[in-house]
Amino acid sequence: MKTIVLGAGVIGVATAYYLSERGCDVTVIEREPGVALGTSFGNAGVIAPGYVTPWAAPGMPAKLIKYLLKPTSPLIFRPTFDAAQWRWIARWLRECDLARFRVNKQRMQRIAYYSRNCLHAFRAQHAFEYGRSQGYLQLFRSDYDLELAQPALDVLRDAGIVYRELDAAACAQVEPGLHWSRVKPVAGVYLPDDEAGDCARFTRELRAVCESNGVKFIFDTEVLALEAAGGKVTGVRVRPVPGREARNRREQRRAPAEVLRPADLSEPAANAAPQTLAADAVVVALGVESAALVAPLGVRVPLYPVKGYSATLPVVDEQKAPRAALMDESLKTAITRFGPYLRVAGTAELGNHRTTLREQALQTLMKVLDDWFPHAATPSSAQFWVGRRPMVPDGAPLLGASGVDGLWLNVGHGSTGWAMSMGSGRVVADLIAQRAPEIDLDGLTLERYRR
Ligand SMILES: Cc1cc2nc3c(=O)[nH]c(=O)nc-3n(C[C@H](O)[C@H](O)[C@H](O)COP(=O)(O)OP(=O)(O)OC[C@H]3O[C@@H](n4cnc5c(N)ncnc54)[C@H](O)[C@@H]3O)c2cc1C
């Protein structure tokens, strides 16, 4: 079966991998010159199925109002006239109810645990390095924040997930670098089975595995529209990204197998007309851009971009640096160790579609690092990044059938797409290959927005 995967973030590449394992003829289309250059590039790297939590949670609306009034805040909100933003917020508020929270969290955990199993099975077959570390420590700065975490802890307890509640001294035993912290946590929660790793590095390695399975990658190519006839998607309209032709031709001379282009390669960019690539099945994995592409076919996906930021720094003092992944629960900012580097990531900025760096967000990241690991890295060495999380209001991704024949979704992974990537890719590939998915998909498809 000829399948086209749109988007080469971690979600698209994981889907391509499982489709190739199912014997499909797979082509991936991406507008960037490589894989994982969108939201999958600079994320916090945490794979914590026990912790995956909808942002719509009891107490969150009050907490957000409090955040908006603070200078150092994990939340930035720019109200706009965009009706989609207000629809998204209204639905998000409805999902903050305790009963909804529990349902949503359990759905997210179902796909996240499955995904971790898929990742482990994959790793047993393909051993490559991607900055992996074991264990995940949540730090609480105040009793109020600890109290807000109780519903999430109840879900962990009910599900039998292994976790330990720690005092400040025990936190420093797990992460000895905390002995040098400027602030002390009132408490911590440690999840020993959770892990972290560099998502972009993993995706690059996964691309190589895909290519050895015969997957074709077409880079520097923009998806313009879906083509449909008789209620079925038949192909994808694409066009080379203008201005990248000269560089691509140079790359092709260097590494012809790595960079493929759809059009006649001798055609100059300015004259390159859009063209249609035919397919039996098309998987949309365009992250935040997915909703706009499927809307003309009547497929309504309640996706909204929520910007986040990260800083990556080389570790300068091993003893005073984190060993694995931590989360400052109060400022919703993660600190993760990737080999010789550490990454600080967080902030939710709603209402801004542009990918410009915002000083206020970068200051929050650097403050969190300075509070917990002041001697681990040199602030001036920080490489900053901004990405857009593809968020749905209730948290769980939308996997599988779109309602239009031949069109499949793998979207809406929000703040936990890396943690859900392998499982989501496998589920969607199984559905396309007409195999029964290994997990129950109730609440993980677009169907829940049609009820
Ligand atoms: C600050 C931050 C921290 C995060 N931390 C974590 C974490 O710790 N753990 C976790 O699990 N997740 C985390 N996430 C979320 C995670 O990064 C995302 O859920 C995940 O990367 C989404 O992957 P994706 O493949 O759907 O999207 P993307 O990686 O954005 O991939 C979509 C691709 O589609 C391409 N594309 C878009 N439109 C077009 C078009 N028209 N034509 C061609 N190509 C197109 C884009 O260039 C892009 O490469 C974090 C996100 C942020 C921002």
Side-chain angles (χ1 to χ4, degrees):
M1 185 194 302
K2 189 162 176 40
T3 54
I4 294 183
V5 177
L6 307 181
V10 67
I11 300 297
V13 180
T15 313
Y17 166 72
Y18 285 109
L19 282 168
S20 68
E21 290 282 297
R22 302 284 173 268
C24 296
D25 168 356
V26 190
T27 301
V28 181
I29 302 174
E30 168 59 52
R31 81 176 157 211
E32 295 297 335
V35 303
L37 292 171
T39 311
S40 303
F41 183 75
N43 64 35
V46 176
I47 296 182
Y51 172 79
V52 291
T53 297
W55 284 12
M60 273 311 262
K63 188 169 180 177
L64 296 185
I65 290 167
K66 218 173 90 186
Y67 279 147
L68 286 173
L69 305 172
K70 288 188 174 175
T72 304
S73 165
L75 180 78
I76 301 171
F77 177 45
R78 300 272 168 267
T80 67
F81 292 112
D82 181 4
Q85 182 188 70
W86 293 105
R87 272 198 306 273
W88 191 94
I89 291 173
R91 177 74 191 239
W92 182 86
L93 286 170
R94 286 209 302 278
E95 299 293 334
C96 287
D97 161 76
L98 179 61
R100 295 298 313 147
F101 169 79
R102 290 180 73 89
V103 168
N104 293 334
K105 185 167 170 99
Q106 279 157 3
R107 288 172 177 170
M108 292 174 76
Q109 285 186 326
R110 195 183 332 136
I111 182 66
Y113 272 106
Y114 177 60
S115 194
R116 195 176 63 182
N117 291 345
C118 294
L119 174 66
H120 290 178
F122 172 84
R123 238 176 22 216
Q125 249 186 305
H126 304 277
F128 53 70
E129 175 50 36
Y130 57 97
R132 192 176 114 61
S133 62
Q134 189 66 39
Y136 184 47
L137 177 62
Q138 288 174 265
L139 299 171
F140 297 88
R141 290 176 185 245
S142 73
D143 292 326
Y144 172 69
D145 293 324
L146 186 61
E147 197 186 307
L148 277 184
Q150 288 314 310
L153 296 182
D154 292 345
V155 176
L156 291 184
R157 216 174 354 255
D158 294 351
I161 292 160
V162 181
Y163 73 95
R164 294 205 311 265
E165 293 187 49
L166 309 177
D167 61 14
C171 288
Q173 273 167 11
V174 171
E175 279 288 355
L178 289 173
H179 282 300
W180 287 271
S181 67
R182 294 191 203 280
V183 289
K184 294 291 166 224
V186 298
V189 171
Y190 185 58
L191 294 127
D193 296 334
D194 288 348
E195 58 189 73
D198 184 340
C199 171
R201 192 167 163 193
F202 178 88
T203 311
R204 289 194 293 271
E205 299 287 352
L206 184 57
R207 170 193 167 183
V209 177
C210 285
E211 283 177 326
S212 65
N213 277 3
V215 175
K216 293 186 273 306
F217 284 83
I218 301 178
F219 292 115
D220 289 303
T221 297
E222 187 171 13
V223 177
L224 302 175
L226 296 163
E227 302 242 318
K232 182 183 184 323
V233 164
T234 53
V236 184
R237 198 117 183 98
V238 298
R239 178 180 61 192
V241 175
R244 295 205 185 137
E245 291 290 294
R247 197 205 56 220
N248 287 334
R249 277 197 289 273
R250 276 201 306 279
E251 279 184 20
Q252 267 161 5
R253 276 199 293 276
R254 272 205 304 272
E258 279 186 20
V259 182
L260 298 170
R261 303 198 52 78
D264 172 5
L265 295 173
S266 60
E267 188 85 359
N271 300 334
Q275 62 172 303
T276 297
L277 304 178
D280 303 309
V282 174
V283 182
V284 178
L286 295 175
V288 291
E289 322 258 341
S290 302
L293 187 80
V294 299
L297 295 184
V299 181
R300 301 272 169 253
V301 178
L303 261 184
Y304 206 75
V306 179
K307 273 172 76 174
Y309 296 80
S310 71
T312 305
L313 306 91
V315 169
V316 295
D317 189 331
E318 192 57 47
Q319 229 192 346
K320 297 174 184 168
R323 291 176 172 176
L326 302 96
M327 170 62 93
D328 179 329
E329 257 304 311
S330 306
L331 288 179
K332 294 281 179 201
T333 300
I335 305 177
T336 316
R337 185 66 188 267
F338 299 135
Y341 292 92
L342 63 80
R343 180 167 295 158
V344 197
T347 306
E349 183 175 346
L350 199 64
N352 184 341
H353 285 266
R354 282 177 299 164
T355 48
T356 41
L357 291 170
R358 184 180 291 279
E359 192 55 37
Q360 183 191 351
L362 307 185
Q363 278 171 13
T364 303
L365 297 182
M366 297 314 282
K367 174 191 160 44
V368 170
L369 179 61
D370 188 61
D371 282 350
W372 298 113
F373 298 100
H375 310 294
T378 311
S380 59
S381 68
Q383 301 270 347
F384 294 111
W385 171 84
V386 56
R388 293 178 300 159
R389 303 175 185 90
M391 301 287 290
V392 286
D394 54 356
L398 301 165
L399 311 177
S402 67
V404 174
D405 267 4
L407 181 64
W408 301 86
L409 302 176
N410 199 348
V411 303
H413 296 79
S415 61
T416 48
W418 163 221
M420 295 174 176
S421 55
M422 294 301 272
S424 300
R426 184 162 179 159
V427 160
V428 173
D430 280 343
L431 289 168
I432 293 173
Q434 297 188 335
R435 288 166 68 143
E438 292 175 321
I439 56 165
D440 176 10
L441 292 186
D442 183 44
L444 295 173
T445 70
L446 191 57
E447 206 44 48
R448 72 179 192 264
Y449 281 99
R450 296 207 182 101
R451 284 171 195 156

